[in-house]
Amino acid sequence: MRLIVTIVTVLFLSTGHGQFPYVKKISFPEQLPTQAVYDMLTDSKGYIWLGTDRGLYRFNGRNFIAIPFDNTFSKSVSYLQEDGKGVIWCMNFYNQVFSVQQDTLRRFEIDSVKLKNWSTFSNLVVGTKQLWLQTYTNIYEFDKYTRKILKTIPVGELPDQIFSSVTDENDFFAITQRGFLFSRSKKEKPWRATGNSFFNFKFILRPKGIIGTVTGTGRGPSFEMTNNRFTPLPPINLAPSINIYHGVYINDDEYWLCTQSGAYQWNKKTGETKCYFPDERISDVVKDYQGNYWFSSLDNGVFFCTSLSNSLLKIYNNPLLNNFTRILALPNGEVMTGNTQGLMAKINLVNRQISRYHLAKQTETEFLSYDSVQNLVLSNRGAFKPGRKEPVELFYYSKGVERDKYGNFIIAIFNSSVVINDHFNTLNRFPAINCPLYQAYAKEVVNYDYNHDGKYRALLLRMRRSLSVLSSREKDRFWVGYEDDLYEYHYDGTVKVLKDANGKPVIAKSLQQQLDGSLVVGSTTNGVMVFEEGKIKKTYGDKNGLSSNYVRKVLRQGDDIWVLTEAGLDKVDVKTGFITNYLEEYGLSNTIINDFVISNGKILFATPSGILVRNSLPQSSDFEIKFPLLKATSNGKIIFTDNTLQDKNRDITFYFEALHYLSATALVYQYRLKGLDTVWRSINNFNNQFAFSRLSPGKYHFEIKAVAGPNYKSAVRSFSFTVPRPYWQKAGFLILSFTLLILVCLLFLRQWKKSLLRRQKIKEQLLKSQLVALRSQMNPHFLYNVLNTVQGLVYGNRKTEAGELLGNFSDLMRKTLEGSDKQLLPLKDEIENLRLYLELEKARFDEGFSYKIDTTNIDNLSSIYIPSLMLQPFAENSVKHGLMHKQGNKKVEIFFEKQADGLTVIIDDNGIGRLHSMEINQRSHNKPFSFATVALNERMNLFNHLYKQKITCQIIDKIDERQESLGTRIELFIPDYSNDPHAL
């Protein structure tokens, strides 16, 4: 909010003279969209309403919010009222009545046909259940809710005119020009004569009784009416030329008259008046809940005033000369001022008398200091007596001056610090050398004072730019603040350089001494520092509440430290360490303050527009901030507290509004969302909404409060709501899901049991197949053939070959029995079994039989596992059915090749083929049944049922171009069972 500071002149206080309080003007085009304001209202929530030529506006301390019409002929509204339910009513200049419903002006429809002798309405009165519209001849009573006309009340006697009407909680009153009073409660004789006649007259409603006051330029008697009894009031002491618009009730002790020549504070007991804004056409006066005054005008907007007793003094008629840089409080209650032109004046705050010193315009006044020894005011312009207009001496005292313990002046200069005596208007200003400190600097003498060509001799302390100087109350030391350090000088010759808490230089812009002797330093970099016996004791900066670390002035007031910074005026409570910014609380946050003093319970500010007088110091008290608005929406719809958000909605937005009219920028909102966290967080007043998104299901409690400094805070507003759980987290869904899960688990267990039993059965069958395979490999026919071969070798005296054959037979039987209880065997063992078997068969054939076993891409034969007792039956079939009846060379070749997902086994013979073998077997009816083929097929099927990976077998009959058999080729694929969990 941009507020323009309006500066006005304060004249002598007297009855009927215009007063100009210190105000802030809100007008078009800065913020208020019009300068014609007809009516104002402060409602029960704390809002300020304005009826203007451009419509109705609600002010929240930050923005003027236009209230739209639903239907209107004219936007100009007045007659603002609030009924018992907090509804705002108004009427435009086309006799259309409106009420504010859901932030919209809703038309109160009137059937004009039913209004007898209808004419322009001159007043609107809103009661609890009824609404009255007044013309000069009739009063029409309506039901507020049905909008039906209840009664028409004509004027009591003719010719007469109804001037004013009003309602309280119990009755409705109207009064005519000839003095007839209407009372709704008087059923038998509602109109009665008062014995008085009135001309241009209006009622002023108050909680207890009614005040009647004249309007226009007439000065007839005013009265007070209580219990239908009239009590005359003293005549209003106001010039007949002043046109009174109407009267305003603020409280029992404060009444106002709004006129075309200002706002008049009216004492109804004496009739005396006091004028404010004499050049303004004041249309209304209201006082908000914080005690601030608002003055509306018909052609100059609205004026905001924190206190009527605060005023701005102007010393000169020229606005450029009222730019004051320094102010000083004198012991007698008067104040001295200095401006940017170097002019000085003295003001008596009691009678507002002003004395100006005879000075030529020069450079600005850089400091003002009071010397109690000779009752002097010292400045960079020279020395002055408070009671004389002529200066005692024109001397350049530069940045600051203090007396030492010997009566000499210690001066802070723009390029050094010096000591001189107080021999005014003489050339001999060199001080007496009477202490070790000055004796140490006796040789450092400079010619000083540029007003006299440097003819005055001075004792030089240090050649460095000085900013401030202070002599201790005990007169045992003094301090000089330089541009690079703060020096503490002791008269015994000791000089100390004071450092901050980090050992860095202290740039002292202003110096003060507390009652306990501690030194208070206002620095340009580190805020306020307190030193005790040369050691830093405490630091106050922006981190603990100071408005800025750049300090322009510090001032002691009792145990408190007042601090003027580049950003505000702060008070430091030394006992508690609490810091308060009072420019915000005074409503002066936009005012430029060059200097300030405290005198006789008043604070005086030197500003670019005059001397601003605040007539009271702040009192430590808690003032409640009104917090009228807290609402919430979710998914674009308004929700109410203690409600549950709709399904799938996890976002919520809060809208809030607190009213702090003193300073919108000082207002801060603090909020927290219990259920999410418990930490209070802050946002400034320019953000009046906050959103939470993707909240987890649960109950939440939103809390928010408004704070403006230590003394202004609101009650905590709260809003509770629940974020619903999604359907998959609700009890019904969980019960159903749990039931389904149990059913699925039962079905799974049942299926798992069936699968387990099936696998167990397969394993049993597989074990049985191993026994069948073992039986097939150890059948009597095979044993008989081997033993018969051994016998033939023995008879042939081939004992060595017979021994080798028996050895191979023994190894084969042993390995067969060892592998009979295992499902899988290493490929190495299976190849060895094949070799032993083929060696035995080779011995049987004696000559003409050969075999070959070869591997490809296999580095480690022991790392590959294949089903046990599976390969030998294939080799046996090749020998028994393919090679047994072949003439000539007989040959079996077995190849093993490693694949990515298993092992390829090829068994290739050059036998008679399957067709001839079947023919021979059909002729040999007495040949024993072969278990090998049946066991082999059953074993492969069982493995394929037990494991996911399948064994495949392809038998190929080899033939030549004449379709003669060349033998049989078996291609066998055995999967890699090492990755199958069931093979472990």
Side-chain angles (χ1 to χ4, degrees):
M1 181 180 68
R2 182 183 175 191
L3 299 178
I4 296 182
V5 178
T6 304
I7 308 303
V8 290
T9 304
V10 175
L11 303 177
F12 295 108
L13 299 177
S14 61
T15 301
H17 288 77
Q19 300 296 313
F20 292 82
Y22 185 81
V23 299
K24 295 180 179 179
K25 181 183 175 185
I26 308 173
S27 62
F28 177 83
E30 285 77 27
Q31 187 178 27
L32 186 63
T34 179
Q35 299 201 77
V37 181
Y38 304 129
D39 201 0
M40 290 194 299
L41 171 72
T42 57
D43 67 10
S44 56
K45 296 179 181 179
Y47 288 108
I48 296 176
W49 297 80
L50 280 74
T52 76
D53 63 336
R54 296 195 180 184
L56 181 66
Y57 290 86
R58 184 179 68 234
F59 186 55
N60 59 10
R62 186 182 68 254
N63 297 314
F64 287 92
I65 301 170
I67 309 301
F69 293 86
D70 62 350
N71 182 17
T72 185
F73 295 160
S74 170
K75 289 187 175 182
S76 298
V77 296
S78 186
Y79 305 98
L80 302 185
Q81 297 173 61
E82 180 183 17
D83 65 16
K85 294 185 177 181
V87 178
I88 305 300
W89 293 78
C90 64
M91 183 170 66
N92 68 9
F93 294 166
Y94 279 74
N95 293 328
Q96 294 174 316
V97 179
F98 301 88
S99 64
V100 178
Q101 307 286 341
Q102 297 180 348
D103 289 334
T104 301
L105 282 165
R106 307 292 181 183
R107 177 97 169 267
F108 187 87
E109 297 289 348
I110 297 174
D111 187 357
S112 60
V113 176
K114 295 183 179 180
L115 301 184
K116 298 179 180 179
N117 302 320
W118 177 80
S119 62
T120 300
F121 298 132
S122 58
N123 196 21
L124 164 69
V125 178
V126 181
T128 304
K129 297 180 180 179
Q130 293 84 16
L131 178 149
W132 295 272
L133 288 170
Q134 169 200 319
T135 70
Y136 284 114
T137 58
N138 291 288
I139 296 172
Y140 303 97
E141 182 178 342
F142 293 86
D143 186 291
K144 281 173 55 179
Y145 304 105
T146 64
R147 304 184 182 185
K148 293 182 178 179
I149 185 169
L150 303 177
K151 188 183 299 183
T152 299
I153 305 165
V155 68
E157 296 183 12
L158 295 175
D160 205 348
Q161 288 186 351
I162 302 172
F163 272 169
S164 185
S165 54
V166 72
T167 185
D168 59 16
E169 294 180 357
N170 303 312
D171 207 347
F172 170 80
F173 302 95
I175 198 165
T176 70
Q177 178 182 355
R178 297 176 59 185
F180 285 89
L181 177 69
F182 173 83
S183 174
R184 186 174 179 271
S185 62
K186 302 294 182 180
K187 302 296 183 181
E188 297 179 357
K189 191 176 181 181
W191 291 98
R192 68 182 181 88
T194 64
N196 298 307
S197 61
F198 304 98
F199 183 74
N200 289 343
F201 187 89
K202 282 190 177 180
F203 282 134
I204 303 175
L205 180 65
R206 60 178 186 168
K208 295 181 180 179
I210 296 172
I211 298 291
T213 183
V214 295
T215 59
T217 56
R219 293 297 177 262
S222 300
F223 63 84
E224 184 173 5
M225 187 180 76
T226 306
N227 297 327
N228 290 331
R229 293 184 179 181
F230 285 78
T231 302
L233 297 175
I236 298 175
N237 187 1
L238 204 60
S241 60
I242 297 176
N243 185 11
I244 301 175
Y245 297 143
H246 64 93
V248 176
Y249 168 83
I250 300 296
N251 54 54
D252 289 338
D253 298 321
E254 189 173 1
Y255 295 83
W256 289 84
L257 300 174
C258 299
T259 79
Q260 99 283 0
S261 301
Y264 285 82
Q265 203 171 23
W266 171 43
N267 188 330
K268 71 179 181 65
K269 295 179 180 179
T270 65
E272 298 298 321
T273 59
K274 184 185 295 185
C275 180
Y276 296 84
F277 309 99
D279 299 324
E280 300 291 345
R281 293 199 299 164
I282 300 299
S283 58
D284 207 351
V285 181
V286 297
K287 194 173 184 179
D288 64 37
Y289 81 96
Q290 292 181 321
N292 307 298
Y293 289 87
W294 299 78
F295 300 86
S296 62
S297 70
L298 294 176
D299 39 29
N300 205 9
V302 176
F303 299 92
F304 170 75
C305 178
T306 58
S307 173
L308 296 175
S309 59
N310 293 346
S311 55
L312 194 72
L313 305 181
K314 290 194 174 182
I315 312 302
Y316 306 96
N317 293 327
N318 186 345
L320 296 177
L321 300 182
N322 284 315
N323 188 350
F324 293 97
T325 58
R326 292 293 177 263
I327 187 169
L328 172 68
L330 299 176
N332 63 359
E334 297 178 327
V335 294
M336 294 280 290
T337 64
N339 65 9
T340 55
Q341 305 292 326
L343 302 181
M344 295 173 56
K346 180 171 66 68
I347 307 170
N348 187 314
L349 295 177
V350 177
N351 57 25
R352 302 298 172 95
Q353 289 183 350
I354 300 171
S355 300
R356 301 179 182 89
Y357 288 88
H358 295 165
L359 291 170
K361 294 180 182 179
Q362 254 187 32
T363 183
E364 71 176 63
T365 306
E366 297 189 54
F367 82 95
L368 292 173
S369 176
Y370 179 71
D371 175 38
S372 61
V373 175
Q374 296 195 28
N375 188 28
L376 289 174
V377 174
L378 300 172
S379 168
N380 58 301
R381 296 299 308 273
F384 302 84
K385 283 285 186 180
R388 287 172 46 183
K389 293 186 178 181
E390 299 294 334
V392 173
E393 177 190 43
L394 290 177
F395 187 87
Y396 183 60
Y397 286 104
S398 195
K399 303 294 182 182
V401 61
E402 285 279 320
R403 279 193 186 270
D404 67 5
K405 66 182 296 184
Y406 306 106
N408 299 308
F409 288 152
I410 310 163
I411 308 175
I413 310 174
F414 70 93
N415 63 353
S416 62
S417 61
V418 299
V419 181
I420 65 173
N421 63 37
D422 62 350
H423 298 170
F424 301 111
N425 293 316
T426 65
L427 295 179
N428 183 18
R429 304 302 297 271
F430 196 78
I433 305 297
N434 50 10
C435 70
L437 177 65
Y438 294 160
Q439 290 171 0
Y441 293 96
K443 296 181 180 180
E444 300 294 335
V445 179
V446 295
N447 292 323
Y448 173 66
D449 185 26
Y450 296 91
N451 290 332
H452 299 83
D453 299 325
K455 294 179 180 179
Y456 294 152
R457 297 171 66 244
L459 177 66
L460 176 65
L461 293 176
R462 188 167 185 249
M463 187 64 73
R464 183 67 74 169
R465 179 182 179 86
S466 303
L467 304 175
S468 57
V469 61
L470 178 67
S471 181
S472 70
R473 290 195 309 272
E474 297 80 9
K475 298 299 182 182
D476 61 341
R477 71 193 75 180
F478 61 87
W479 298 273
V480 179
Y482 296 100
E483 64 179 354
D484 59 347
D485 267 313
L486 174 59
Y487 276 59
E488 182 179 273
Y489 294 93
H490 294 255
Y491 294 106
D492 62 2
T494 304
V495 179
K496 296 181 179 179
V497 179
L498 307 185
K499 301 292 184 181
D500 67 9
N502 297 319
K504 294 183 178 180
V506 175
I507 313 303
K509 181 72 173 179
S510 179
L511 300 171
Q512 283 279 297
Q513 193 174 15
Q514 291 289 84
L515 294 176
D516 60 3
S518 58
L519 176 67
V520 179
V521 179
S523 75
T524 59
T525 55
N526 293 336
V528 176
M529 291 172 281
V530 181
F531 287 87
E532 195 171 84
E533 294 301 326
K535 296 183 179 179
I536 192 163
K537 178 182 178 182
K538 183 68 177 178
T539 300
Y540 303 96
D542 56 6
K543 292 184 179 179
N544 50 353
L546 208 64
S547 57
S548 171
N549 280 340
Y550 190 101
V551 176
R552 301 166 61 191
K553 182 177 182 177
V554 291
L555 183 66
R556 177 182 60 82
Q557 177 71 16
D559 292 328
D560 297 328
I561 302 173
W562 289 78
V563 186
L564 179 64
T565 74
E566 64 176 356
L569 177 67
D570 306 320
K571 188 185 78 169
V572 179
D573 188 323
V574 177
K575 294 181 179 179
T576 63
F578 203 88
I579 300 175
T580 306
N581 186 287
Y582 279 109
L583 289 189
E584 298 285 359
E585 296 205 10
Y586 289 162
L588 304 175
S589 57
N590 293 340
T591 306
I592 298 174
I593 306 297
N594 294 323
D595 195 8
F596 79 103
V597 293
I598 299 175
S599 176
N600 296 329
K602 299 180 176 65
I603 302 181
L604 294 92
F605 301 96
T607 77
S609 303
I611 301 300
L612 171 61
V613 181
R614 170 82 182 185
N615 283 310
S616 61
L617 291 176
Q619 302 295 322
S620 296
S621 180
D622 290 335
F623 301 93
E624 183 175 350
I625 296 176
K626 286 196 173 185
F627 204 138
L629 175 64
L630 175 60
K631 67 178 182 179
T633 62
S634 179
N635 197 27
K637 298 181 179 179
I638 296 177
I639 63 171
F640 300 95
T641 186
D642 297 324
N643 279 7
T644 300
L645 304 186
Q646 295 181 357
D647 289 344
K648 297 182 180 180
N649 286 342
R650 295 189 297 157
D651 302 344
I652 187 170
T653 301
F654 290 99
Y655 301 86
F656 39 85
E657 198 165 66
L659 306 177
H660 182 62
Y661 295 112
L662 280 172
S663 176
T665 57
L667 188 67
V668 174
Y669 293 107
Q670 297 177 348
Y671 69 93
R672 63 182 177 182
L673 183 61
K674 289 184 176 181
L676 183 64
D677 58 25
T678 58
V679 178
W680 287 98
R681 307 182 188 279
S682 298
I683 55 176
N684 60 41
N685 186 31
F686 296 98
N687 295 322
N688 66 337
Q689 67 181 56
F690 199 85
F692 296 93
S693 58
R694 297 184 178 181
L695 291 172
S696 301
K699 293 184 177 180
Y700 294 90
H701 188 71
F702 179 72
E703 293 182 336
I704 186 169
K705 57 186 177 181
V707 178
N711 298 330
Y712 292 89
K713 55 188 175 183
S714 73
V716 177
R717 295 288 306 269
S718 60
F719 191 100
S720 298
F721 63 97
T722 301
V723 176
R725 297 181 181 277
Y727 69 88
W728 60 84
Q729 294 183 2
K730 292 183 179 179
F733 182 83
L734 292 176
I735 292 173
L736 178 62
S737 299
F738 184 71
T739 303
L740 292 176
L741 180 62
I742 292 176
L743 292 176
V744 170
C745 291
L746 291 176
L747 291 174
F748 173 78
L749 290 174
R750 181 180 178 184
Q751 192 65 26
W752 177 77
K753 182 179 179 181
K754 290 176 63 177
S755 176
L756 188 64
L757 293 174
R758 181 176 62 83
R759 289 179 59 80
Q760 185 63 30
K761 183 177 180 180
I762 292 174
K763 287 182 179 181
E764 291 176 356
Q765 292 175 346
L766 192 59
L767 182 61
K768 181 179 178 181
S769 72
Q770 285 180 273
L771 295 177
V772 173
L774 178 63
R775 178 184 174 189
S776 67
Q777 293 184 17
M778 300 181 65
N779 63 78
H781 180 70
F782 172 71
L783 296 177
Y784 171 77
N785 289 336
V786 172
L787 293 177
N788 190 35
T789 302
V790 171
Q791 182 181 20
L793 292 175
V794 172
Y795 288 158
N797 199 22
R798 295 162 63 183
K799 297 179 180 180
T800 301
E801 293 179 11
E804 290 178 358
L805 182 61
L806 286 175
N808 289 337
F809 177 71
S810 174
D811 288 342
L812 178 61
M813 292 299 102
R814 177 175 57 80
K815 289 182 178 295
T816 300
L817 292 174
E818 287 177 352
S820 64
D821 61 344
K822 297 178 182 179
Q823 295 285 359
L824 300 173
L825 283 179
L827 178 60
K828 179 181 179 181
D829 292 347
E830 281 295 301
I831 291 176
E832 180 64 18
N833 289 342
L834 285 173
R835 187 189 64 79
L836 291 174
Y837 169 74
L838 293 175
E839 284 291 332
L840 292 175
E841 292 292 358
K842 182 179 180 181
R844 286 178 57 201
F845 286 103
D846 194 12
E847 291 181 359
F849 178 82
S850 64
Y851 69 89
K852 180 180 180 181
I853 300 176
D854 195 10
T855 61
T856 303
N857 296 333
I858 302 176
D859 297 328
N860 186 0
L861 297 176
S862 299
S863 62
I864 299 175
Y865 284 81
I866 62 174
S868 61
L869 306 178
M870 182 169 290
L871 297 183
Q872 185 177 335
F874 284 104
E876 181 180 352
N877 284 337
S878 295
V879 173
K880 183 186 300 184
H881 300 289
L883 302 178
M884 180 68 67
H885 303 285
K886 178 179 173 59
Q887 300 297 323
N889 291 329
K890 305 174 181 61
K891 184 178 180 180
V892 176
E893 293 181 337
I894 302 175
F895 301 97
F896 297 90
E897 184 176 1
K898 179 72 179 333
Q899 304 294 335
D901 54 349
L903 182 69
T904 299
V905 182
I906 298 175
I907 303 173
D908 194 338
D909 66 70
N910 62 349
I912 61 175
R914 288 190 298 170
L915 181 61
H916 292 297
S917 177
M918 291 174 61
E919 293 175 354
I920 294 172
N921 289 336
Q922 289 176 357
R923 293 194 299 266
S924 302
H925 296 289
N926 296 326
K927 187 174 182 178
F929 179 75
S930 175
F931 289 98
T933 301
V934 176
L936 185 62
N937 291 332
E938 183 180 359
R939 188 162 173 75
M940 285 192 297
N941 290 333
L942 290 174
F943 263 92
N944 288 341
H945 280 91
L946 187 61
Y947 301 112
K948 292 182 179 180
Q949 302 178 84
K950 308 300 182 183
I951 300 173
T952 60
C953 180
Q954 184 179 7
I955 301 176
I956 301 172
D957 294 317
K958 300 188 297 180
I959 57 177
D960 58 12
E961 61 276 4
R962 294 178 298 174
Q963 300 299 313
E964 295 291 337
S965 176
L966 298 178
T968 305
R969 178 186 178 91
I970 299 172
E971 293 182 357
L972 188 68
F973 176 77
I974 302 175
D976 182 3
Y977 292 107
S978 61
N979 294 324
D980 194 324
H982 302 299
L984 298 179

